Amino acid sequence: MTQIKIQTPDDWHLHFRDGDMLNETVPATARCFKRAIVMPNLVPPVTNAKMVEEYRHRILAARPEGSKFEPLMTLYLTNGTTREDIIAAKQVGTVAAKLYPAGATTNSDAAVKSLDPLFPIFEEMQKQGMLLLIHGEVTDDHIDIFDREKEFIDRNLTRIVATFPELKIVFEHITTKDAVDFVVSANDNVAATITPQHLLLNRNDMLVGGIRPHNYCLPVLKRNIHQQALREVVATGNKKFFLGTDSAPHEKDKKESACGCAGCYSAWSAIELYTHVFDELDALDKLEGFASHHGADFYGLPRNHGTITLVKEDWTIPEKIILPNGNPIVPFFAGQNCTWKLID
Ligand code: NCD
Ligand code: ZN
């Protein structure tokens, strides 16, 4: 196949950031995605309906001329979140709330320190039909970083799913075979997003021959058997798995640092790289489900009208992008070849 046309896709997990940066990130996503689930881990985090509304307006203002791109907003859960916060957020159209264990990732310090007190909030979300999006890693010092996702499943996710069978839960940016197996065998209200980096890479790509900070994201890349499990499950076309880029920009000097930030900025190449992976897997017929159908169906939203077209053509992802503030950022897969290209 040398050309593929799919229904217009959505990105079910990304980070736009705020301020000036929106003039970079919003057009990058709006070039091919109709909607995106916008993560709330700003500084300060988006913890109430008013902040959701204001952030949504800032994003809309950064859309390119004529763009019909639609941000889907999320609420950042803390141990101070109340049932009233959930109800008010729902009233302004917030589709989901995000659970970050405190300290798990970028800008998560203010997040959830103790899980059990949030169960009444999950109950309210179940009642309101608001989805729960989970960064599924424990944060205990003594748990090895490569085991944190599995530990979260065993200790917390199993319990949340069993207690709230009607609550729709997205296990975000899964990285392990354990997560794949859990989601496959869970009830139909449990789904997962998968990023381009976790399909394309494993931890060797971050650590062999020198540390590669631009491949560092959280949850961290795992060993190749886990990468393989992610690749295998997307190739089956299972409707519980869908596209979530986790595109997460950090300026070049924040990544290339003695204590580098976690996150890969993939917005300019994500749909192309997913296509590249599905082609490698000989599963291009499964791309449209993953990118354009499964997420909308799971969220209970209509599938998009319109299509996008990609052609089989080599191109090199740029070495850097200059942000609106003048600082450089190194995009994900910089300088590397992608075998599929989006055309207008
Ligand atoms: C994300 C970020 O930078 O906001 N970083 C990342 O490595 N994925 C946060 C997150 O999704 O964990
Ligand atoms: Zn993320």
Side-chain angles (χ1 to χ4, degrees):
M1 207 186 291
T2 57
Q3 182 159 326
I4 181 169
K5 186 189 275 201
I6 60 170
Q7 228 166 314
T8 305
D10 303 297
D11 185 347
W12 298 98
H13 181 130
L14 61 58
H15 303 264
F16 274 147
R17 313 301 188 206
D18 207 349
D20 260 11
M21 185 73 117
L22 293 176
N23 296 318
E24 160 62 30
T25 53
V26 176
T29 288
R31 79 194 169 95
C32 61
F33 294 111
K34 172 68 181 18
R35 297 170 290 199
I37 288 284
V38 180
M39 289 296 133
N41 61 333
L42 304 183
V43 186
V46 181
T47 51
N48 60 50
K50 181 164 178 284
M51 294 173 98
V52 167
E53 279 275 84
E54 289 169 355
Y55 188 31
R56 183 167 177 276
H57 283 117
R58 294 196 296 277
I59 294 167
L60 291 175
R63 290 185 302 182
E65 189 80 30
S67 168
K68 298 222 163 47
F69 174 76
E70 188 190 344
L72 301 173
M73 305 308 290
T74 65
L75 187 76
Y76 183 106
L77 295 173
T78 73
N79 280 112
T81 305
T82 62
R83 285 180 183 264
E84 291 69 37
D85 289 330
I86 298 296
I87 295 164
K90 178 74 185 179
Q91 274 167 1
V92 300
T94 309
V95 297
K98 179 73 188 280
L99 168 66
Y100 292 103
T105 188
T106 310
N107 302 337
S108 62
D109 291 349
V112 176
K113 292 178 177 69
S114 173
L115 189 64
D116 287 72
L118 274 185
F119 275 46
I121 302 302
F122 299 157
E123 189 180 41
E124 189 62 44
M125 289 171 61
Q126 181 172 255
K127 195 164 137 198
Q128 297 291 328
M130 190 186 279
L131 281 83
L132 175 62
L133 316 182
I134 300 184
H135 183 113
E137 289 190 286
V138 299
T139 56
D140 313 54
D141 286 343
H142 70 283
I143 306 290
D144 189 278
I145 190 165
F146 293 104
D147 299 334
R148 288 179 175 197
E149 187 170 276
K150 177 173 173 14
E151 186 71 19
F152 187 91
I153 297 169
D154 297 346
R155 206 193 288 176
N156 299 323
L157 191 54
T158 310
R159 221 154 44 88
I160 300 172
V161 171
T163 314
F164 303 101
E166 302 301 321
L167 177 63
K168 284 194 179 175
I169 297 174
V170 184
F171 194 178
E172 298 290 342
H173 42 49
I174 60 165
T175 63
T176 56
K177 179 173 190 310
D178 310 277
V180 170
D181 293 345
F182 178 81
V183 172
V184 167
S185 61
N187 73 54
D188 281 348
N189 287 326
V190 180
T193 53
I194 304 184
T195 74
Q197 62 268 27
H198 294 104
L199 291 169
L200 281 161
L201 308 176
N202 60 63
R203 64 193 192 182
N204 281 6
D205 298 295
M206 181 176 62
L207 296 170
V208 172
I211 292 178
R212 290 156 208 273
H214 299 292
N215 291 343
Y216 175 60
C217 66
L218 288 167
V220 75
L221 295 172
K222 304 296 191 301
R223 61 165 64 233
N224 60 354
I225 55 164
H226 296 294
Q227 179 196 7
Q228 206 48 43
L230 299 173
R231 291 170 70 95
E232 276 164 22
V233 82
V234 299
T236 66
N238 187 317
K239 66 180 181 2
K240 291 173 151 229
F241 298 87
F242 43 84
L243 185 158
T245 63
D246 197 20
S247 183
H250 293 278
E251 292 179 4
K252 183 171 188 279
D253 65 352
K254 303 270 184 351
K255 297 278 299 173
E256 296 175 10
S257 151
C259 185
C261 292
C264 302
Y265 183 48
S266 60
W268 287 110
S269 61
I271 192 66
E272 294 87 343
L273 288 172
Y274 281 116
T275 310
H276 170 120
V277 169
F278 277 75
D279 190 12
E280 282 178 351
L281 295 170
D282 204 11
L284 280 173
D285 60 321
K286 302 295 192 312
L287 177 69
E288 185 174 48
F290 179 80
S292 315
H293 297 162
H294 303 167
D297 296 352
F298 187 79
Y299 271 77
L301 294 169
R303 295 179 182 180
N304 293 321
H305 299 297
T307 57
I308 61 163
T309 302
L310 295 113
V311 289
K312 189 151 188 173
E313 185 183 316
D314 287 336
W315 63 288
T316 305
I317 294 167
E319 296 283 357
K320 68 175 179 200
I321 292 167
I322 303 299
L323 295 172
N325 67 4
N327 292 337
I329 184 168
V330 177
F332 177 62
F333 233 55
Q336 296 191 66
N337 186 54
C338 179
T339 52
W340 285 83
K341 197 165 190 179
L342 185 73
I343 54 171
D344 291 336

mmCIF file with all atom_site columns, all heavy atoms in Angstrom, residues 163-175:
data_model
loop_
_atom_site.group_PDB
_atom_site.id
_atom_site.type_symbol
_atom_site.label_atom_id
_atom_site.label_alt_id
_atom_site.label_comp_id
_atom_site.label_asym_id
_atom_site.label_entity_id
_atom_site.label_seq_id
_atom_site.pdbx_PDB_ins_code
_atom_site.Cartn_x
_atom_site.Cartn_y
_atom_site.Cartn_z
_atom_site.occupancy
_atom_site.B_iso_or_equiv
_atom_site.pdbx_formal_charge
_atom_site.auth_seq_id
_atom_site.auth_comp_id
_atom_site.auth_asym_id
_atom_site.auth_atom_id
_atom_site.pdbx_PDB_model_num
ATOM 1   N N   . THR A 1 163 ? -14.392 -1.944 42.348 1.00 0.00 ? 163 THR A N   1
ATOM 2   C CA  . THR A 1 163 ? -15.339 -1.161 43.157 1.00 0.00 ? 163 THR A CA  1
ATOM 3   C C   . THR A 1 163 ? -16.287 -0.339 42.285 1.00 0.00 ? 163 THR A C   1
ATOM 4   O O   . THR A 1 163 ? -17.414 -0.071 42.682 1.00 0.00 ? 163 THR A O   1
ATOM 5   C CB  . THR A 1 163 ? -14.561 -0.218 44.111 1.00 0.00 ? 163 THR A CB  1
ATOM 6   O OG1 . THR A 1 163 ? -13.520 -0.971 44.737 1.00 0.00 ? 163 THR A OG1 1
ATOM 7   C CG2 . THR A 1 163 ? -15.464 0.384  45.178 1.00 0.00 ? 163 THR A CG2 1
ATOM 8   N N   . PHE A 1 164 ? -15.820 0.076  41.110 1.00 0.00 ? 164 PHE A N   1
ATOM 9   C CA  . PHE A 1 164 ? -16.637 0.955  40.255 1.00 0.00 ? 164 PHE A CA  1
ATOM 10  C C   . PHE A 1 164 ? -16.786 0.367  38.850 1.00 0.00 ? 164 PHE A C   1
ATOM 11  O O   . PHE A 1 164 ? -16.239 0.904  37.881 1.00 0.00 ? 164 PHE A O   1
ATOM 12  C CB  . PHE A 1 164 ? -16.013 2.362  40.182 1.00 0.00 ? 164 PHE A CB  1
ATOM 13  C CG  . PHE A 1 164 ? -15.841 2.989  41.535 1.00 0.00 ? 164 PHE A CG  1
ATOM 14  C CD1 . PHE A 1 164 ? -14.589 3.002  42.150 1.00 0.00 ? 164 PHE A CD1 1
ATOM 15  C CD2 . PHE A 1 164 ? -16.927 3.517  42.219 1.00 0.00 ? 164 PHE A CD2 1
ATOM 16  C CE1 . PHE A 1 164 ? -14.427 3.554  43.415 1.00 0.00 ? 164 PHE A CE1 1
ATOM 17  C CE2 . PHE A 1 164 ? -16.767 4.073  43.490 1.00 0.00 ? 164 PHE A CE2 1
ATOM 18  C CZ  . PHE A 1 164 ? -15.523 4.086  44.082 1.00 0.00 ? 164 PHE A CZ  1
ATOM 19  N N   . PRO A 1 165 ? -17.557 -0.707 38.735 1.00 0.00 ? 165 PRO A N   1
ATOM 20  C CA  . PRO A 1 165 ? -17.647 -1.385 37.435 1.00 0.00 ? 165 PRO A CA  1
ATOM 21  C C   . PRO A 1 165 ? -18.282 -0.530 36.340 1.00 0.00 ? 165 PRO A C   1
ATOM 22  O O   . PRO A 1 165 ? -18.066 -0.783 35.159 1.00 0.00 ? 165 PRO A O   1
ATOM 23  C CB  . PRO A 1 165 ? -18.504 -2.627 37.732 1.00 0.00 ? 165 PRO A CB  1
ATOM 24  C CG  . PRO A 1 165 ? -19.225 -2.320 39.002 1.00 0.00 ? 165 PRO A CG  1
ATOM 25  C CD  . PRO A 1 165 ? -18.346 -1.394 39.774 1.00 0.00 ? 165 PRO A CD  1
ATOM 26  N N   . GLU A 1 166 ? -19.054 0.491  36.736 1.00 0.00 ? 166 GLU A N   1
ATOM 27  C CA  . GLU A 1 166 ? -19.702 1.337  35.719 1.00 0.00 ? 166 GLU A CA  1
ATOM 28  C C   . GLU A 1 166 ? -18.876 2.582  35.393 1.00 0.00 ? 166 GLU A C   1
ATOM 29  O O   . GLU A 1 166 ? -19.275 3.385  34.549 1.00 0.00 ? 166 GLU A O   1
ATOM 30  C CB  . GLU A 1 166 ? -21.093 1.786  36.205 1.00 0.00 ? 166 GLU A CB  1
ATOM 31  C CG  . GLU A 1 166 ? -22.048 0.642  36.536 1.00 0.00 ? 166 GLU A CG  1
ATOM 32  C CD  . GLU A 1 166 ? -22.293 -0.258 35.329 1.00 0.00 ? 166 GLU A CD  1
ATOM 33  O OE1 . GLU A 1 166 ? -22.408 0.290  34.205 1.00 0.00 ? 166 GLU A OE1 1
ATOM 34  O OE2 . GLU A 1 166 ? -22.337 -1.489 35.511 1.00 0.00 ? 166 GLU A OE2 1
ATOM 35  N N   . LEU A 1 167 ? -17.788 2.782  36.082 1.00 0.00 ? 167 LEU A N   1
ATOM 36  C CA  . LEU A 1 167 ? -16.942 3.965  35.830 1.00 0.00 ? 167 LEU A CA  1
ATOM 37  C C   . LEU A 1 167 ? -16.037 3.664  34.638 1.00 0.00 ? 167 LEU A C   1
ATOM 38  O O   . LEU A 1 167 ? -15.333 2.652  34.625 1.00 0.00 ? 167 LEU A O   1
ATOM 39  C CB  . LEU A 1 167 ? -16.096 4.241  37.077 1.00 0.00 ? 167 LEU A CB  1
ATOM 40  C CG  . LEU A 1 167 ? -15.095 5.393  37.021 1.00 0.00 ? 167 LEU A CG  1
ATOM 41  C CD1 . LEU A 1 167 ? -15.792 6.744  36.814 1.00 0.00 ? 167 LEU A CD1 1
ATOM 42  C CD2 . LEU A 1 167 ? -14.273 5.438  38.325 1.00 0.00 ? 167 LEU A CD2 1
ATOM 43  N N   . LYS A 1 168 ? -16.062 4.557  33.643 1.00 0.00 ? 168 LYS A N   1
ATOM 44  C CA  . LYS A 1 168 ? -15.166 4.352  32.504 1.00 0.00 ? 168 LYS A CA  1
ATOM 45  C C   . LYS A 1 168 ? -13.767 4.816  32.885 1.00 0.00 ? 168 LYS A C   1
ATOM 46  O O   . LYS A 1 168 ? -13.578 5.963  33.317 1.00 0.00 ? 168 LYS A O   1
ATOM 47  C CB  . LYS A 1 168 ? -15.665 5.119  31.287 1.00 0.00 ? 168 LYS A CB  1
ATOM 48  C CG  . LYS A 1 168 ? -16.835 4.427  30.637 1.00 0.00 ? 168 LYS A CG  1
ATOM 49  C CD  . LYS A 1 168 ? -17.085 4.996  29.261 1.00 0.00 ? 168 LYS A CD  1
ATOM 50  C CE  . LYS A 1 168 ? -18.247 4.259  28.618 1.00 0.00 ? 168 LYS A CE  1
ATOM 51  N NZ  . LYS A 1 168 ? -18.586 4.860  27.328 1.00 0.00 ? 168 LYS A NZ  1
ATOM 52  N N   . ILE A 1 169 ? -12.814 3.936  32.705 1.00 0.00 ? 169 ILE A N   1
ATOM 53  C CA  . ILE A 1 169 ? -11.441 4.191  33.129 1.00 0.00 ? 169 ILE A CA  1
ATOM 54  C C   . ILE A 1 169 ? -10.499 4.046  31.943 1.00 0.00 ? 169 ILE A C   1
ATOM 55  O O   . ILE A 1 169 ? -10.542 3.033  31.232 1.00 0.00 ? 169 ILE A O   1
ATOM 56  C CB  . ILE A 1 169 ? -11.027 3.195  34.233 1.00 0.00 ? 169 ILE A CB  1
ATOM 57  C CG1 . ILE A 1 169 ? -11.904 3.393  35.480 1.00 0.00 ? 169 ILE A CG1 1
ATOM 58  C CG2 . ILE A 1 169 ? -9.540  3.331  34.571 1.00 0.00 ? 169 ILE A CG2 1
ATOM 59  C CD1 . ILE A 1 169 ? -11.681 2.368  36.576 1.00 0.00 ? 169 ILE A CD1 1
ATOM 60  N N   . VAL A 1 170 ? -9.657  5.051  31.729 1.00 0.00 ? 170 VAL A N   1
ATOM 61  C CA  . VAL A 1 170 ? -8.597  4.907  30.726 1.00 0.00 ? 170 VAL A CA  1
ATOM 62  C C   . VAL A 1 170 ? -7.264  4.815  31.455 1.00 0.00 ? 170 VAL A C   1
ATOM 63  O O   . VAL A 1 170 ? -6.873  5.726  32.191 1.00 0.00 ? 170 VAL A O   1
ATOM 64  C CB  . VAL A 1 170 ? -8.557  6.081  29.724 1.00 0.00 ? 170 VAL A CB  1
ATOM 65  C CG1 . VAL A 1 170 ? -7.500  5.809  28.655 1.00 0.00 ? 170 VAL A CG1 1
ATOM 66  C CG2 . VAL A 1 170 ? -9.919  6.302  29.078 1.00 0.00 ? 170 VAL A CG2 1
ATOM 67  N N   . PHE A 1 171 ? -6.610  3.701  31.256 1.00 0.00 ? 171 PHE A N   1
ATOM 68  C CA  . PHE A 1 171 ? -5.265  3.461  31.782 1.00 0.00 ? 171 PHE A CA  1
ATOM 69  C C   . PHE A 1 171 ? -4.347  4.139  30.749 1.00 0.00 ? 171 PHE A C   1
ATOM 70  O O   . PHE A 1 171 ? -4.220  3.676  29.628 1.00 0.00 ? 171 PHE A O   1
ATOM 71  C CB  . PHE A 1 171 ? -5.074  1.942  31.847 1.00 0.00 ? 171 PHE A CB  1
ATOM 72  C CG  . PHE A 1 171 ? -3.910  1.439  32.636 1.00 0.00 ? 171 PHE A CG  1
ATOM 73  C CD1 . PHE A 1 171 ? -3.721  0.051  32.761 1.00 0.00 ? 171 PHE A CD1 1
ATOM 74  C CD2 . PHE A 1 171 ? -3.011  2.286  33.260 1.00 0.00 ? 171 PHE A CD2 1
ATOM 75  C CE1 . PHE A 1 171 ? -2.661  -0.460 33.483 1.00 0.00 ? 171 PHE A CE1 1
ATOM 76  C CE2 . PHE A 1 171 ? -1.952  1.776  33.982 1.00 0.00 ? 171 PHE A CE2 1
ATOM 77  C CZ  . PHE A 1 171 ? -1.774  0.398  34.093 1.00 0.00 ? 171 PHE A CZ  1
ATOM 78  N N   . GLU A 1 172 ? -3.765  5.275  31.151 1.00 0.00 ? 172 GLU A N   1
ATOM 79  C CA  . GLU A 1 172 ? -3.075  6.113  30.160 1.00 0.00 ? 172 GLU A CA  1
ATOM 80  C C   . GLU A 1 172 ? -1.657  5.617  29.864 1.00 0.00 ? 172 GLU A C   1
ATOM 81  O O   . GLU A 1 172 ? -0.980  5.059  30.724 1.00 0.00 ? 172 GLU A O   1
ATOM 82  C CB  . GLU A 1 172 ? -3.000  7.563  30.669 1.00 0.00 ? 172 GLU A CB  1
ATOM 83  C CG  . GLU A 1 172 ? -4.371  8.216  30.872 1.00 0.00 ? 172 GLU A CG  1
ATOM 84  C CD  . GLU A 1 172 ? -5.107  8.515  29.575 1.00 0.00 ? 172 GLU A CD  1
ATOM 85  O OE1 . GLU A 1 172 ? -4.476  8.547  28.504 1.00 0.00 ? 172 GLU A OE1 1
ATOM 86  O OE2 . GLU A 1 172 ? -6.337  8.708  29.638 1.00 0.00 ? 172 GLU A OE2 1
ATOM 87  N N   . HIS A 1 173 ? -1.252  5.874  28.620 1.00 0.00 ? 173 HIS A N   1
ATOM 88  C CA  . HIS A 1 173 ? 0.119   5.582  28.141 1.00 0.00 ? 173 HIS A CA  1
ATOM 89  C C   . HIS A 1 173 ? 0.712   4.312  28.752 1.00 0.00 ? 173 HIS A C   1
ATOM 90  O O   . HIS A 1 173 ? 1.734   4.364  29.434 1.00 0.00 ? 173 HIS A O   1
ATOM 91  C CB  . HIS A 1 173 ? 1.052   6.781  28.346 1.00 0.00 ? 173 HIS A CB  1
ATOM 92  C CG  . HIS A 1 173 ? 0.925   7.526  29.642 1.00 0.00 ? 173 HIS A CG  1
ATOM 93  N ND1 . HIS A 1 173 ? 0.910   6.897  30.863 1.00 0.00 ? 173 HIS A ND1 1
ATOM 94  C CD2 . HIS A 1 173 ? 0.801   8.846  29.903 1.00 0.00 ? 173 HIS A CD2 1
ATOM 95  C CE1 . HIS A 1 173 ? 0.792   7.808  31.804 1.00 0.00 ? 173 HIS A CE1 1
ATOM 96  N NE2 . HIS A 1 173 ? 0.716   9.005  31.248 1.00 0.00 ? 173 HIS A NE2 1
ATOM 97  N N   . ILE A 1 174 ? 0.053   3.192  28.492 1.00 0.00 ? 174 ILE A N   1
ATOM 98  C CA  . ILE A 1 174 ? 0.541   1.931  29.076 1.00 0.00 ? 174 ILE A CA  1
ATOM 99  C C   . ILE A 1 174 ? 1.869   1.522  28.437 1.00 0.00 ? 174 ILE A C   1
ATOM 100 O O   . ILE A 1 174 ? 2.148   1.829  27.272 1.00 0.00 ? 174 ILE A O   1
ATOM 101 C CB  . ILE A 1 174 ? -0.494  0.801  28.976 1.00 0.00 ? 174 ILE A CB  1
ATOM 102 C CG1 . ILE A 1 174 ? -0.870  0.506  27.524 1.00 0.00 ? 174 ILE A CG1 1
ATOM 103 C CG2 . ILE A 1 174 ? -1.722  1.109  29.807 1.00 0.00 ? 174 ILE A CG2 1
ATOM 104 C CD1 . ILE A 1 174 ? -1.592  -0.816 27.361 1.00 0.00 ? 174 ILE A CD1 1
ATOM 105 N N   . THR A 1 175 ? 2.666   0.825  29.236 1.00 0.00 ? 175 THR A N   1
ATOM 106 C CA  . THR A 1 175 ? 4.041   0.516  28.804 1.00 0.00 ? 175 THR A CA  1
ATOM 107 C C   . THR A 1 175 ? 4.436   -0.949 28.995 1.00 0.00 ? 175 THR A C   1
ATOM 108 O O   . THR A 1 175 ? 5.552   -1.307 28.618 1.00 0.00 ? 175 THR A O   1
ATOM 109 C CB  . THR A 1 175 ? 5.052   1.365  29.604 1.00 0.00 ? 175 THR A CB  1
ATOM 110 O OG1 . THR A 1 175 ? 4.952   1.010  30.989 1.00 0.00 ? 175 THR A OG1 1
ATOM 111 C CG2 . THR A 1 175 ? 4.795   2.847  29.452 1.00 0.00 ? 175 THR A CG2 1
#
